[in-house]
Amino acid sequence: MRKKYYYLTLMLILVFVVGIFITACGGQKQTDNQSEQQSQSQTQSEQSQSNDKEPIKIGHEVALTGDASMWGQSEENALQMEIEKINAAGGVNGRPLKLISYDNRADSIEAVNVAKRLIEQDKVVAIIGPAQSGVANAISSVTEEAKVPFIATTATNPLVTVPKEGQLRKYAFRTCFIDPFQGTVAAQFAYYRLNAKKAAILYDVGSDYSAWLAKYFEDAFKEMKGEIVGKEAFRSGELDYRAMLGKIKQANPDVIFIPTAQKEAALAAKQARDLGIKATLMGGDNWGSPDLITLGGSAVEGGYFVNLASMEDPDIQDFIKEYKAKFNADPVLPNPVMAIDALYMLVDAIKRAGTTDGPALADALENTSNLKVLTGILTIDPSTHNPLNKPAIIQQVKDGKFIYVEKYVTK
Amino acid sequence: MFLQTLITGLSIGGIYALMAVGYSLVFSILNFSNFAHGTIIMLGAYIGYFLISSFKLGFPFSFIGAIVGAALLALINVRLAYSPLINRKAPPLYLMITAMGVSIFLENMVYVTVGSHFYSFPEIFKQSTIKFFGSDISPLDLFALIFSFIAIFALHLFLTRTKMGTAIRAASYDMTVASLNGVNMNKLIGIVFILAGAFGGLAGVFLGVKYMVYPTMGWITNKAYIAAVIGGLGSLPGAVIGGVILGVLETFVSVYVSSVIRDVFSFSLVILFLVILPAGLLGKYLEEKV
C-alpha cells in the first residue's frame, strides 16, 4: 500500500516537471521566433536605408501572445510604422532607430526576464511598455538598477511611478494619465460643461480604483466651489444599492459619479432610475465596455464617462488611416496611440539630451514639456513622472452606443 | 425619506422572504438546511433568461417555464441526491453536506457549460416609477412584492386547507407518526421539494430581472437563509417575517447609520437577537437540527 503511494507521488512529480518544461520551452520558442522575425524585418529596413551609422536600439516589451495580445500586436505594428517614418526622415541625431520587441505575455515574471534581456544582451537605451500596471511595477526593479528608463503605455495605477508617498522611481515614466486623474476630469467636465453645482458619489469601497477616483472627484469638485451632497459606498459583490441611492436622491444632486466596474454601474443606474432619480450619471474608463449597455439598458442612456482614447478622436484620424492602409485592420485602442506618444517623448528626450546615456536620458524625459505628440500636448510632471493635463476623452451613451463627445483638457 | 426607505426595505425584504420560504419548507420536514436551494434559484433564473431571450417566449410563459423548470430540478435533486440518504436514515448533517456538494457541482456545471458571462433580462417593465405619497416605487418592485405575498399566501392556504397540506404539517411535527398514519413519505418529500423549487424559480426570475443572471447569484441566498433563521427555521410565517425584518433593518442602517458599515451593524444585531432568542421568532426549539 505504501509503495503504491510512493510511486503515485513520484509519477505526479514527474508529470509536473515535464509539464513545466514543456510550457516554459514553448514560451521561449515563441519569444525567440518573435525576435527572429523582428531582426529579419529590421535588417531589411536597415539595408533599404543603407544607413551605416549604428542604430539607436529601443526596447519594446509587450504581450504578443495571450489575452492581451490583441492590443500588444497593434502596439508593435504602430511603433514599427512610426519608426520607419522617422528613419526615412533621417533618424534621430543622425542615427536610425531600431525597435526590438519581445513578448512578455502580460506576465510579471516573464516581463522581468524580457527587461533583463533587453538591457543586458540587446543594450537598448530605453524601453517602451509594458501596458499593465502590475507588470510595470515588476520590471521597475530591473530598470532602476540598470538605469534604463521605461515608458509605460497604459499602466494607469499611480504606484507605477510613485511606489510610496514622497518616493519617485527615477526611471519609470508613462504616457497615459493615472487612474485617479479621471476623477478630476469627470469633476471638471461636470462642473464646467454640464453646469453641475451639486454632485453625489456612489463608489465601491472594496476597490482601490473606485475609491481613488471617488476621492479625486470629490477634491476637484470641492475646489471649484461645487458641493458634494452625498458620498455613499458599497462593497464589491453587492447587488442592491437602493438604500444608498435613496439617500442620494434626497439630496437632489445634478450629477452622480459612479466610478465602478461596468456591472455595478449598470445595476446602480437601473436602481437609480427605479427610484425616480433623474440626475446625469458619470463614470470612469471601466464604463467603456459593451456590457454596460447590455446590462444597463435604457438606464445608462445619456450617461458620460472618461476614457483614454477613442476612434473618433479628430487628432488621430490620420494615424488611423495610415495604419489601416498598411495593416488592413483598425488599430486596437488605446495602446497604439499611447505607445506612439511614448516614442515621440523618447525621441524628443534623446535629441535634447544629445546622448543615450541612461541618467541623462531620464533627466531629459523628466523635463519633457509642451511636446506635440499624437494625442495632444504632453508635459511631464517632474515630481511624479505622470503626464500633466493629459487630454482625456469624454464619451456618452447614446441610443445604445458609445459616442465621442469631446477631448477634455483639465484646467 | 422615511417612507422611501421603508418601501425600499420592504421590496428587498420581500425577495429575502421568497427565498427563505424554500429553506423553511425543506427544513420543516427533513430537519436540514438545503444549501442547494440557492443553486436552484440560480438555475431558475437561467431557465427564465434563456426562455425569454433565446426562445422568445414572452415574459408570462418564461416566468411559468422558470417556475416549472426549477421545481423539476428540485425534484431531480431530491430523488438523486437526498432520497438514497433519507431511505438509509442518514443523520441530517450528512444531508446538509450533500446539499453543499450538489450546490458546488451545479454551480461549476454552469461555469463549464454556460460560462461566467453576466446576462441581463430584456426590459420587461419600462424604466418608470409610480408615485406613492411622494415616494417612488418601480413597477417591477411593486409587482414582485405583491406577487411574492400572493404566492406565499397561496402556499399558506395549500398547507392549511388541503389534505396534502395537512399531511405535510403532520410530518413536520413527527415524520414517523405521520407515516404510521398512512402518509406516503416519498411522495410527500417530493411534493415539498417541488414547492420549494417552484418558489426558487419564482425568486430566481425576480432576482434575474431586478439584478442580473450569473453563476454565483445563488450566494445571495446566504442572507435569505439568515432571514429564515431569524424567523425560526421551519416556520413559514417566520421565514416571511424574518425576510422582511432583515431587508428593512439593512436599509434603515445604510440610510441612517452608514452604508459602509451596514453589514457589520445589522449582523451584530442579528447575532445579539439570536443569543436572546436561539430558536428565532417563531421557531420551535429542538435539538439535533443542523
Side-chain angles (χ1 to χ4, degrees), chain A residues 232-233 235 238-240 242-244 247 249-250 263 267 270-271 273-276 294-295 297-298, chain B residues 1 4 8 11-12 118 120 123 127 129 136 138 141 210-212 214 220 254-255 259-260 262-263:
Chain A
E232 299 295 321
R235 208 166 31 86
E238 268 185 61
L239 295 173
D240 208 296
R242 281 178 297 171
M244 304 74 156
K247 208 169 158 187
K249 185 192 170 194
Q250 223 57 28
K263 178 189 121 212
L267 271 180
K270 267 184 168 176
Q271 291 166 16
R273 299 305 183 218
D274 278 352
L275 290 173
T294 50
L295 297 174
S298 63
Chain B
M1 186 69 203
Q4 179 77 64
T8 305
S11 71
I12 294 174
F118 285 74
S120 174
E123 280 175 21
Q127 291 281 352
T129 56
D136 293 287
S138 78
D141 282 338
K210 208 165 160 41
Y211 308 121
M212 44 188 73
Y214 55 97
I220 315 169
S254 50
V255 170
S259 51
V260 181
R262 181 187 73 185
D263 281 1

Side-chain angles (χ1 to χ4, degrees), chain B residues 167-235:
Chain B
I168 291 173
R169 282 186 300 134
S172 79
Y173 280 104
D174 197 317
M175 234 160 107
T176 326
V177 176
S179 65
L180 282 177
N181 282 299
V183 174
N184 180 349
M185 270 304 146
N186 240 338
K187 191 174 151 200
L188 187 117
I189 289 169
I191 286 176
V192 165
F193 270 88
I194 286 175
L195 283 174
F199 271 84
L202 191 68
V205 174
F206 283 154
L207 282 176
V209 175
K210 208 165 160 41
Y211 308 121
M212 44 188 73
V213 184
Y214 55 97
T216 48
M217 67 184 285
W219 292 105
I220 315 169
T221 54
N222 275 358
K223 286 205 174 149
Y225 180 71
I226 290 161
V229 172
I230 294 174
L233 261 177
S235 155

Side-chain angles (χ1 to χ4, degrees), chain A residues 183-240:
Chain A
T184 313
V185 174
Q188 293 200 4
F189 180 79
Y191 190 85
Y192 292 115
R193 292 282 195 274
L194 304 177
N195 284 320
K197 299 291 170 267
K198 289 196 287 179
I201 303 168
L202 177 70
Y203 71 103
D204 179 348
V205 71
S207 143
D208 272 352
Y209 168 85
S210 189
W212 273 105
L213 252 68
K215 189 183 168 295
Y216 267 64
F217 182 91
E218 189 181 1
D219 291 350
F221 205 72
K222 277 182 178 161
E223 207 177 292
M224 296 174 291
K225 302 284 173 283
E227 195 190 344
I228 298 287
V229 292
K231 191 179 180 193
E232 299 295 321
F234 60 87
R235 208 166 31 86
S236 319
E238 268 185 61
L239 295 173
D240 208 296

Side-chain angles (χ1 to χ4, degrees), chain A residues 139-402:
Chain A
I139 72 157
S140 67
S141 57
V142 180
T143 53
E144 289 291 297
E145 203 176 303
K147 298 193 171 29
V148 173
F150 75 89
I151 309 172
T153 50
T154 57
T156 50
N157 190 309
L159 303 181
V160 171
T161 53
V162 185
K164 247 188 252 161
E165 187 105 19
Q167 193 185 336
L168 178 69
R169 283 186 182 141
K170 189 167 166 34
Y171 298 93
F173 297 87
R174 66 177 119 210
T175 50
C176 56
F177 52 68
I178 54 170
D179 278 336
F181 178 70
Q182 294 179 33
T184 313
V185 174
Q188 293 200 4
F189 180 79
Y191 190 85
Y192 292 115
R193 292 282 195 274
L194 304 177
N195 284 320
K197 299 291 170 267
K198 289 196 287 179
I201 303 168
L202 177 70
Y203 71 103
D204 179 348
V205 71
S207 143
D208 272 352
Y209 168 85
S210 189
W212 273 105
L213 252 68
K215 189 183 168 295
Y216 267 64
F217 182 91
E218 189 181 1
D219 291 350
F221 205 72
K222 277 182 178 161
E223 207 177 292
M224 296 174 291
K225 302 284 173 283
E227 195 190 344
I228 298 287
V229 292
K231 191 179 180 193
E232 299 295 321
F234 60 87
R235 208 166 31 86
S236 319
E238 268 185 61
L239 295 173
D240 208 296
Y241 321 124
R242 281 178 297 171
M244 304 74 156
L245 287 165
K247 208 169 158 187
I248 287 174
K249 185 192 170 194
Q250 223 57 28
N252 198 21
D254 301 317
V255 296
I256 305 178
F257 184 52
I258 313 176
T260 62
Q262 67 278 15
K263 178 189 121 212
E264 279 88 4
L267 271 180
K270 267 184 168 176
Q271 291 166 16
R273 299 305 183 218
D274 278 352
L275 290 173
I277 296 175
K278 304 252 178 347
T280 308
L281 306 178
M282 292 187 71
D285 64 332
N286 270 2
W287 275 36
S289 147
D291 274 356
L292 182 84
I293 292 166
T294 50
L295 297 174
S298 63
V300 292
E301 191 70 21
Y304 293 92
F305 64 95
V306 183
N307 213 343
L308 289 162
S310 158
M311 288 295 280
E312 289 151 83
D313 178 355
D315 291 343
I316 62 168
Q317 291 312 311
D318 288 343
F319 160 73
I320 292 175
K321 229 182 273 164
E322 238 177 279
Y323 187 99
K324 260 182 158 166
K326 195 166 166 76
F327 301 105
N328 211 6
D330 278 334
V332 190
L333 297 184
N335 294 51
V337 291
M338 295 295 158
I340 290 177
D341 281 3
L343 180 68
Y344 284 179
M345 180 176 157
L346 185 62
V347 166
D348 171 67
I350 294 172
K351 278 182 186 161
R352 276 187 294 115
T355 167
T356 53
D357 190 35
L361 197 53
D363 283 339
L365 283 169
E366 193 172 279
N367 292 314
T368 302
S369 97
N370 285 323
L371 174 68
K372 174 94 187 67
V373 291
L374 186 58
T375 58
I377 306 291
L378 182 72
T379 300
I380 293 292
D381 180 352
S383 64
T384 59
H385 287 187
N386 298 325
L388 268 178
N389 297 347
K390 175 110 186 175
I393 304 290
I394 304 284
Q395 284 186 297
Q396 188 183 22
V397 186
K398 206 170 185 187
D399 303 321
K401 275 199 297 272
F402 295 138

